[in-house]
Amino acid sequence: MSQSLLSIDQVSKRFTRKPGLAERLAGRLSGGGEPVVVHALTDVTLEVARGEVLGVVGESGCGKSTLGRVVAGIHAPSDGTVMLDGKPITRDQRGTAEKLTTQVQMIHQDPFASLNPRMKVGETIAEGPRYHKIIPANVVSERVGSLLEQVGLEAAYADRLPHQFSGGQRQRIAIARALAMEPELLVLDEAVASLDVSIQAQVLNLFMDLQRNLGLTALFISHDLSVVRHVCDRVAIMYLGRLVELAPAKDLYERPLHPYTSALFASVPTVGTGKRVFEAIQGEIPSPINPPPGCAFHPRCPQAGPRCRREVPRLAQADDQRTVACHLNDGGVA
Amino acid sequence: MSAALDVSGLTTRFDTRSGSVTAVDNVSFSVEPGRILGLVGESGSGKSVTGFSIMGLVDEPGQVVAGSVTVDGVDLRSLSDDDMRKMRGSRLAMVFQDPMMTLNPVLRIGDQMAMAVRVHRKMPKREALEESRKALDIVGIPSPAERLKAYPHQLSGGMRQRVAIAMALLHRPSVIIADEPTTALDVSIQGQILAEVRRLADDIGTAIVWVTHDLAVVSSLADDICVMYAGRIVERGTAEQVIGNPRHPYTQGLLDSIPARHEPGGHLPQIPGSTPQLSRLPSGCPFRPRCSRATEQCKSEPPSDSRDGQIVLCHHPLEGS
């Protein structure tokens, strides 16, 4: 795809924990003592087109936040490459990483933790562009004012401290700070998860308006399926570090192909009248330290067969626009 | 059927140096055996303080200043501290958002559960462990006998929450207050727990108060719903009434702001402004500054309950359809 802004190619991320002294001693005695390896991301391949909002959905431990951090250049991938506009984002080439991290900006979940409590919000917003010389020093305060207005706040708020704002307003400030860097790509990691419902709608509206007006490209990481459906063009479903399904939002919600996607949809409560029975997924998410062999979902999958225990399903094209990693769509489970 | 829990005119106030704040303001509701009441509100609405007030667990500088709480016909506010302690855990139990508020990290699950059994009933430890095993079985914990020997850190978040629910169930309480018990859990685990909770209410007849911010959860789980705003219950009715035919503009606004109810990509109706600080409530109706139906009357006098089937605290409720 030539028009894709972000391409993630076979990216894996492993976190290794070195054993502590006691574990090393115990390991020497028993002959073990291997470092513990967490497979946070395994072989993820994705493209995000310019102007597209891609949702990344999954439960805790599925690797969605790690993916966001790899894209933002916070973690270097263990394998594979991440390219932004044809140039690699990697930590190894230090100079390049610094240049690129200004083009990818992240918005975090907790606006109480992500803003410096002792810094006036105007300073917080101006710090990045000033350091990277994105805008001339004499127009910084003007720019801060217009950014604040762009996110629905008043320019005069630049002199206030974060504690003078509510959660929703702080998240607006975090968005203004990200936009100040004139990024190519936004990574939103559960950006509305900690907001109350009435405030969440305000921030989602703001995000959708900005996205359309500025033509922003975004990776929208969330566990909330209804929010993702509302704001995203395409959705990637992740399970235990792997991409299991990727499809346009509309198709995915109408007809999920992967059994995990269907099970996830079935366990989400929806607002409606009348009782409903929760068709819960059996069992728990396995540990990313010891992922099960074959398909990671097979221990919980109602349709698993012998092949699922043996062989890792590959991400295969299901139709023009969607891919799914399941043997059911790729030759059967027998 | 008589109510397992009856709350009437409950008012809880926090007297702080910067003034007095009424976190729970004249709250009334009742829950019959086997029914689940969803207590919904945004942060600062007083929903959790209501739960703590029922349990008699409000700490200084807060205190319950008015109203009554009755469990199985016993007025809790007239009990001595000692009698209240006997009530808590046996007739009335609580499940918290964080199961580690219930579980002792340095004790095995079996030991702490058996201890909880024997606080209220004299029996040999072996029998208490058997009771504990049964309780774990009820909440759907696989191989419960082995789990009794585990420490809390060896269990996943979902399993710990099940253990906390099992502990609440040990004495077959009439009433369980559950404060955001599935908020920190993944949706697939939340689905499992909601299914178990519904089964508990149906099979054992426990009355459950489910405190949450999540309208989707209560609309699928609860029989009745109370919506709280600024310490007050602004709307109360059956789940069908409140979700299907909301009368209070705030309830309507909350439901409207849920993305799933709209065409993807469209502008979401939003409630303007933000939740008020309890120390600086506007005059009259606390929702007035954010309400599109507000009039001069809303500014001058606080609304009182209007009841026709469902209870609505509003001068200008929406038309019932």
Side-chain angles (χ1 to χ4, degrees), chain A residues 46-331:
Chain A
L46 264 183
E47 305 260 328
V48 185
R50 202 175 276 280
E52 183 183 38
V53 181
L54 179 81
V56 182
V57 176
E59 299 180 277
S60 41
C62 75
K64 58 186 191 298
S65 289
T66 306
L67 181 68
R69 287 162 162 266
V70 167
V71 168
I74 296 171
H75 296 316
S78 309
D79 292 312
T81 50
V82 181
M83 310 268 271
L84 187 76
D85 222 359
K87 292 182 227 79
I89 303 181
T90 37
R91 271 305 220 184
D92 329 0
Q93 298 150 286
R94 284 223 148 231
T96 326
E98 193 166 279
K99 184 87 192 84
L100 283 169
T101 45
T102 69
Q103 290 170 25
V104 184
Q105 288 295 314
M106 207 159 168
I107 295 164
H108 301 270
Q109 172 170 2
D110 184 359
F112 289 82
S114 67
L115 299 176
N116 185 338
R118 289 164 182 271
M119 214 183 217
K120 288 178 182 166
V121 301
E123 286 298 307
T124 296
I125 294 169
E127 192 183 25
R130 191 179 282 150
Y131 176 81
H132 290 282
K133 302 187 177 63
I134 288 174
I135 43 178
N138 56 343
V139 297
V140 165
S141 64
E142 209 174 296
R143 177 92 177 109
V144 166
S146 73
L147 280 163
L148 282 169
E149 280 165 5
Q150 208 170 7
V151 297
L153 299 171
E154 286 169 33
Y157 288 180
D159 287 328
R160 298 196 184 174
L161 289 166
H163 75 262
Q164 294 170 290
F165 296 94
S166 67
Q169 288 173 320
R170 286 183 202 211
Q171 205 57 304
R172 288 170 191 267
I173 295 164
I175 293 173
R177 172 175 60 182
L179 294 178
M181 300 299 291
E182 297 172 358
E184 294 274 1
L185 177 74
L186 282 182
V187 176
L188 297 97
D189 191 0
E190 298 279 11
V192 297
S194 64
L195 304 176
D196 276 321
V197 204
S198 70
I199 309 302
Q200 180 178 297
Q202 295 174 0
V203 176
L204 286 177
N205 282 336
L206 171 70
F207 170 72
M208 290 187 292
D209 290 345
L210 290 171
Q211 194 269 327
R212 274 178 210 135
N213 297 341
L214 306 176
L216 294 171
T217 310
L219 209 57
F220 193 97
I221 300 165
S222 177
H223 71 284
D224 188 328
L225 290 160
S226 77
V227 167
V228 166
R229 176 178 202 170
H230 200 79
V231 302
C232 298
D233 304 310
R234 282 193 306 152
V235 181
I237 305 277
M238 293 187 67
Y239 188 76
L240 214 67
R242 286 174 192 273
L243 189 62
V244 297
E245 184 161 7
L246 177 65
K250 189 168 172 288
D251 300 354
L252 186 80
Y253 284 77
E254 274 168 14
R255 195 171 58 94
L257 292 178
H258 198 284
Y260 175 64
T261 316
S262 328
L264 201 57
F265 288 171
S267 35
V268 176
T270 47
V271 176
T273 49
K275 293 274 173 45
R276 49 166 292 205
V277 185
F278 291 96
E279 301 151 48
I281 315 180
Q282 295 306 307
E284 304 212 347
I285 305 161
S287 157
I289 297 172
N290 277 314
C295 171
F297 188 58
H298 87 256
R300 304 173 76 188
C301 181
Q303 299 174 67
R307 188 176 163 209
C308 306
R309 284 185 275 279
R310 274 196 321 266
E311 196 183 314
V312 178
R314 67 193 178 97
L315 200 61
Q317 209 72 27
D319 59 43
D320 324 342
Q321 295 188 73
R322 50 196 301 182
T323 47
V324 58
C326 179
H327 292 315
L328 286 170
N329 287 282
D330 194 20

Side-chain angles (χ1 to χ4, degrees), chain B residues 191-228:
Chain B
Q192 294 170 359
I193 289 187
L194 294 182
E196 298 291 351
V197 166
R198 186 68 251 179
R199 210 167 48 77
L200 289 177
D202 292 343
D203 298 355
I204 304 179
T206 317
I208 297 171
V209 177
W210 194 270
V211 178
T212 182
H213 71 285
D214 192 332
L215 276 166
V217 166
V218 286
S219 84
S220 1
L221 177 75
D223 301 296
D224 302 289
I225 295 179
C226 292
V227 180
M228 287 191 77

Side-chain angles (χ1 to χ4, degrees), chain B residues 10-318:
Chain B
L10 187 68
T11 303
T12 303
R13 212 173 56 207
F14 289 77
D15 292 313
T16 64
R17 225 179 294 169
S18 51
S20 173
V21 164
T22 307
V24 178
D25 193 353
N26 195 16
V27 161
S28 305
F29 57 80
S30 62
V31 195
E32 286 171 11
R35 286 181 81 86
I36 301 179
L37 175 103
L39 197 57
V40 195
E42 298 185 278
S43 36
S45 63
K47 56 189 191 303
S48 292
V49 182
T50 302
F52 281 93
S53 302
I54 293 169
M55 293 296 296
L57 290 174
V58 177
D59 285 329
E60 287 289 320
Q63 56 172 334
V64 178
V65 291
S68 69
V69 178
T70 316
V71 171
D72 292 338
V74 180
D75 180 8
L76 299 188
R77 289 197 64 213
S78 67
L79 295 180
S80 65
D81 285 356
D82 204 35
D83 287 338
M84 185 63 204
R85 197 171 304 123
K86 285 181 186 144
M87 201 74 180
R88 244 184 257 127
S90 60
R91 312 291 336 123
L92 176 66
M94 189 154 186
V95 178
F96 299 92
Q97 175 171 352
D98 178 3
M100 291 314 284
M101 280 190 55
T102 307
L103 301 177
N104 184 331
V106 298
L107 289 182
R108 291 177 197 274
I109 301 292
D111 289 341
Q112 49 188 311
M113 287 186 83
M115 201 186 288
V117 174
R118 300 209 294 171
V119 165
H120 293 287
R121 280 183 281 164
K122 279 206 162 51
M123 62 167 74
K125 188 172 176 191
R126 202 166 33 80
E127 278 175 40
L129 281 171
E130 178 56 20
E131 290 270 319
S132 311
R133 193 195 59 77
K134 280 188 202 150
L136 292 182
D137 200 31
I138 289 174
V139 295
I141 289 184
S143 48
E146 284 163 43
R147 299 295 181 189
L148 286 176
K149 294 182 200 121
Y151 287 96
H153 75 265
Q154 295 171 306
L155 305 180
S156 66
M159 279 299 159
R160 285 182 208 158
Q161 195 56 284
R162 280 169 202 254
V163 172
I165 295 174
M167 284 182 89
L169 282 175
L170 280 172
H171 299 282
R172 298 285 162 99
S174 308
V175 178
I176 292 182
I177 314 275
D179 188 6
E180 302 265 11
T182 58
T183 304
L185 303 177
D186 278 315
V187 277
S188 71
I189 309 300
Q190 167 173 281
Q192 294 170 359
I193 289 187
L194 294 182
E196 298 291 351
V197 166
R198 186 68 251 179
R199 210 167 48 77
L200 289 177
D202 292 343
D203 298 355
I204 304 179
T206 317
I208 297 171
V209 177
W210 194 270
V211 178
T212 182
H213 71 285
D214 192 332
L215 276 166
V217 166
V218 286
S219 84
S220 1
L221 177 75
D223 301 296
D224 302 289
I225 295 179
C226 292
V227 180
M228 287 191 77
Y229 188 79
R232 290 148 232 228
I233 289 180
V234 294
E235 180 156 11
R236 187 174 108 198
T238 63
E240 286 76 17
Q241 286 171 337
V242 174
I243 301 291
N245 188 13
R247 306 284 311 279
H248 198 286
Y250 175 63
T251 316
Q252 178 72 54
L254 276 185
L255 286 167
D256 276 347
S257 55
I258 295 171
R261 309 189 117 207
H262 302 277
E263 201 46 39
H267 188 85
L268 294 167
Q270 57 189 44
I271 305 178
S274 53
T275 42
Q277 288 190 1
L278 292 173
S279 54
R280 270 177 277 161
L281 283 186
S283 66
C285 171
F287 186 58
R288 159 177 70 76
R290 307 177 71 189
C291 183
S292 60
R293 302 170 72 87
T295 60
E296 281 302 311
Q297 187 192 9
C298 305
K299 211 178 261 183
S300 52
E301 53 183 292
S304 52
D305 290 354
S306 74
R307 39 180 89 214
D308 42 27
Q310 74 209 73
I311 288 172
V312 187
L313 199 65
C314 181
H315 289 306
H316 312 289
L318 300 152

